[in-house]
Amino acid sequence: DTGVSQDPRHKITKRGQNVTFRCDPISEHNRLYWYRQTLGQGPEFLTYFQNEAQLEKSRLLSDRFSAERPKGSFSTLEIQRTEQGDSAMYLCASSLGRGEKLFFGSGTQLSVL
Amino acid sequence: AQSVSQHNHHVILSEAASLELGCNYSYGGTVNLFWYVQYPGQHLQLLLKYFSGDPLVKGIKGFEAEFIKSKFSFNLRKPSVQWSDTAEYFCAVRAQHYQLIWGAGTKLIIKP
């Protein structure tokens, strides 16, 4: 499968714990995006990378969230001191450039108890 | 603030019925417009997009959408739906210098 892959598919954690998600984009794609989606809503932009540079972060994003793309390939999204409000589907997408279509992964479903 | 509004959260149709899903956005400048679809158990994928030119855009699986600038709308249509069109449909809009803004989605159920 040469699509976008995300790991894990599901994560259950207790409030206050840290979690980390991984995204492997399509190999030739230089742009990588993280979105969050809650029930009954569309995806909400979190951050994006062009190669290894993090070019934009949502102003709504708490400083408990951090993302990296160290070598311009895979990316990780870490949430520190999780809260129940962080429960959501975290989606990763990649594209060849701005304006190109997004290819999405299947997401990581986070449940914070 | 920019927003995207999808009028119907749930739509139920019988096979062979015609489909129109509404999408309106609030932004006065140049926009790029998208419809994405999520079939049950699958990831989001692009149905069609509009950047410029002919405001009637054709996508995959017989879908089309019409951009009406004066109405700030980009409605999705299909003349005759099939059971396999059961999915959730998302409208998304990108204004210049901004990231994609997504609607809340419309869940479409096609009765066989």
Side-chain angles (χ1 to χ4, degrees):
Chain A
D1 189 311
T2 56
V4 178
S5 62
Q6 292 187 244
D7 184 67
R9 292 292 300 273
H10 299 90
K11 179 71 179 176
I12 301 173
T13 191
K14 290 183 180 176
R15 193 174 50 189
Q17 298 293 305
N18 299 344
V19 294
T20 300
F21 310 140
R22 178 181 169 120
C23 171
D24 286 88
I26 293 172
S27 58
E28 60 268 28
H29 285 184
N30 60 352
R31 289 196 171 214
L32 186 149
Y33 300 79
W34 285 99
Y35 288 90
R36 176 171 59 194
Q37 187 177 17
T38 52
L39 209 58
Q41 299 299 319
E44 175 195 14
F45 169 76
L46 294 180
T47 188
Y48 94 95
F49 293 82
Q50 182 162 308
N51 301 313
E52 65 276 8
Q54 187 174 19
L55 294 188
E56 191 173 340
K57 229 174 127 169
S58 168
R59 282 172 290 176
L60 301 174
L61 200 60
S62 159
D63 56 10
R64 296 183 296 106
F65 288 68
S66 61
E68 291 183 339
R69 193 182 183 197
K71 296 181 182 176
S73 56
F74 75 90
S75 176
T76 56
L77 177 69
E78 182 183 17
I79 310 174
Q80 295 184 323
R81 304 181 303 282
T82 51
E83 301 173 357
Q84 287 185 324
D86 298 331
S87 296
M89 176 72 82
Y90 289 84
L91 296 169
C92 176
S94 69
S95 72
L96 266 175
R98 182 172 171 85
E100 295 299 319
K101 75 177 186 180
L102 294 174
F103 290 78
F104 280 86
S106 297
T108 294
Q109 182 68 53
L110 173 66
S111 298
V112 182
L113 305 178
Chain B
Q2 299 161 59
S3 64
V4 178
S5 173
Q6 291 185 240
H7 312 299
N8 307 99
H9 291 294
H10 293 89
V11 172
I12 301 174
L13 295 172
S14 297
E15 272 193 308
S18 65
L19 169 72
E20 181 159 4
L21 301 182
C23 173
N24 285 87
Y25 62 92
S26 64
Y27 182 73
T30 302
V31 292
N32 300 147
L33 301 156
F34 305 81
W35 277 97
Y36 278 80
V37 62
Q38 187 166 24
Y39 297 103
Q42 295 188 28
H43 50 263
L44 278 161
Q45 56 187 286
L46 182 69
L47 253 188
L48 48 79
K49 63 182 180 181
Y50 171 81
F51 281 16
S52 63
D54 188 345
L56 187 60
V57 179
K58 295 198 185 299
I60 60 171
K61 305 191 181 188
F63 285 90
E64 64 180 29
E66 185 175 13
F67 170 48
I68 302 180
K69 191 173 180 180
S70 60
K71 294 186 177 179
F72 300 91
S73 71
F74 190 55
N75 292 355
L76 182 71
R77 301 197 293 245
K78 186 171 184 179
S80 176
V81 294
Q82 302 170 308
W83 177 78
S84 58
D85 294 324
T86 293
E88 190 161 16
Y89 294 80
F90 292 91
C91 179
V93 177
R94 181 171 53 228
Q96 209 172 16
H97 308 306
Y98 289 95
Q99 294 295 330
L100 268 179
I101 305 292
W102 295 73
T106 297
K107 285 190 170 71
L108 175 65
I109 296 173
I110 307 298
K111 298 184 293 183

